[in-house]
Amino acid sequence: MSSKDVSAESLIYPAVMITVVGMHYLLLNSTQSIQWATYLPVAIGAVSIAFLEWQYPFRYEWYPDCTDIGHDLTFMLLVQVLLPRLLSFFVAVTLLAALNQNELTVNLGWPHEWSVVAQVVLMLLVADFFRYWLHRAAHEWAQPLWRLHAVHHSPKKLYWLNVGRFHPLEKSIQFLFDAFPFILLGVSAEVLALYFIFYSVNGFFQHCNVKLQLGPLNYIISGPELHRWHHSRIIAESNTNYGNNLIIWDTLFGTRYLPENHEVQELGLLNRNYPISFIAQMKTPFVSDLDQG
């Protein structure tokens, strides 16, 4: 591989991230609504990564077929798009409304006076800390959590769209550790929007089938080079790299894994007969006699 190829592969991630964040601020400054300024950059990020998968695939055998796309699109729309909006709406019209009606406020010292970027960094650190332990518990300690989480590990190939493959019960639990505390704290819409953009596009990258390199960012960001190992069929390899957006907590607690000069092999679960369709995976965690490994 030439130094030119290495340089190009190392530019892909920062170039896309800078583009979507820059687009976000351009749209905000052009009097666009914060919804447009949030969702349009995320959509552009998804399209860009899909194009890069087609042009610079990491593994040709990871190309999705129509069946894969159909199932994963269902998960993306229902579990990743619709469900969080419903949960956020429920929080806004019930819990927050009740607190406001009774003149109660949640003030645990969130630094609202900080810049938006600084607040997003703090939100990433705090949310990832809780998500790290939730994720690790699903793999190492709590069998009921693993039965839900096995849905996410069921694909035998990675590409950007199957980042959305989560059981809705697990997604709801994640919401309690992710957006919910910050909504209660009254974190501003501007902070939540920028966090959402990074969270979404980095998630697309984590699962992407793009030949790229993050270099030193692999010590900060939980990106694709690290996350592919988390989807290994070998349990000793998949029980690593739990970070949702950041890899910092994995480094601190000894679960970061990125071997040199070696690539991940088979992906997915030990049980190669694990069902793959959306409807079947809604029921599978509750089938007691099914091997979830």
Side-chain angles (χ1 to χ4, degrees):
M1 183 182 297
S2 69
S3 60
K4 182 178 180 181
D5 292 333
V6 173
S7 177
E9 291 173 8
S10 65
L11 290 175
I12 289 174
Y13 180 92
V16 173
M17 279 297 185
I18 290 170
T19 297
V20 297
V21 171
M23 180 180 297
H24 171 67
Y25 280 106
L26 283 174
L27 289 170
L28 280 180
N29 292 333
S30 65
T31 68
Q32 294 292 332
S33 70
I34 195 165
Q35 287 81 11
W36 269 106
T38 302
Y39 292 114
L40 185 57
V42 170
I44 295 299
V47 170
S48 300
I49 294 169
F51 172 78
L52 290 166
E53 287 186 329
W54 176 56
Q55 286 290 311
Y56 310 106
F58 176 69
R59 296 267 178 86
Y60 285 100
E61 61 269 28
W62 287 2
Y63 276 138
D65 57 30
C66 291
T67 301
D68 296 324
I69 294 172
H71 293 321
D72 290 324
L73 186 59
T74 302
F75 273 97
M76 179 63 74
L77 293 176
L78 296 182
V79 180
Q80 291 290 85
V81 177
L82 181 60
L83 180 60
R85 291 180 69 86
L86 290 175
L87 292 171
S88 298
F89 177 77
F90 175 77
V91 170
V93 302
T94 57
L95 185 57
L96 289 183
L99 289 173
N100 292 332
Q101 185 176 1
N102 292 281
E103 298 183 350
L104 298 173
T105 59
V106 179
N107 186 359
L108 299 178
W110 182 262
H112 298 282
E113 71 280 3
W114 288 11
S115 70
V116 169
V117 173
Q119 289 184 63
V120 169
V121 171
L122 179 61
M123 187 174 172
L124 283 167
L125 287 168
V126 174
D128 255 60
F129 177 80
F130 292 113
R131 284 289 297 273
Y132 170 87
W133 288 110
L134 176 67
H135 196 176
R136 187 169 178 177
H139 277 257
E140 299 180 21
W141 303 316
Q143 183 66 17
L145 285 176
W146 168 250
R147 294 181 72 85
L148 292 173
H149 190 57
V151 169
H152 185 67
H153 282 264
S154 59
K156 302 178 181 69
K157 61 184 75 169
L158 289 178
Y159 71 111
W160 75 272
L161 189 58
N162 63 15
V163 66
R165 187 175 282 266
F166 283 100
H167 195 281
L169 285 180
E170 183 181 20
K171 187 66 181 177
S172 299
I173 295 170
Q174 291 174 356
F175 179 82
L176 296 176
F177 288 78
D178 200 320
F180 177 72
F182 302 99
I183 294 173
L184 287 185
L185 287 170
V187 174
S188 71
E190 291 78 10
V191 173
L192 292 173
L194 190 56
Y195 173 85
F196 175 77
I197 291 170
F198 179 82
Y199 172 98
S200 299
V201 179
N202 187 68
F204 298 152
F205 266 118
Q206 276 187 329
H207 284 240
C208 76
N209 182 24
V210 179
K211 192 174 184 181
L212 46 64
Q213 296 182 354
L214 267 65
L217 287 176
N218 280 318
Y219 290 96
I220 302 172
I221 303 298
S222 180
E225 292 173 282
L226 289 153
H227 198 70
R228 287 163 186 160
W229 290 102
H230 181 71
H231 280 266
S232 171
R233 195 182 176 203
I234 300 172
I235 293 175
E237 295 175 348
S238 63
N239 283 2
T240 63
N241 301 337
Y242 297 115
N244 189 45
N245 295 294
L246 307 176
I247 205 64
I248 293 170
W249 300 117
D250 285 278
T251 302
L252 183 61
F253 296 114
T255 52
R256 182 183 182 273
Y257 181 71
L258 186 60
E260 294 184 4
N261 303 317
H262 184 49
E263 291 183 353
V264 68
Q265 299 303 311
E266 281 191 324
L267 306 181
L269 301 170
L270 295 178
N271 176 13
R272 303 314 263 179
N273 295 317
Y274 193 92
I276 203 70
S277 72
F278 178 83
I279 297 298
Q281 290 196 344
M282 294 302 96
K283 301 181 292 185
T284 302
F286 310 104
V287 179
S288 59
D289 59 347
L290 183 65
D291 177 14
Q292 304 286 319

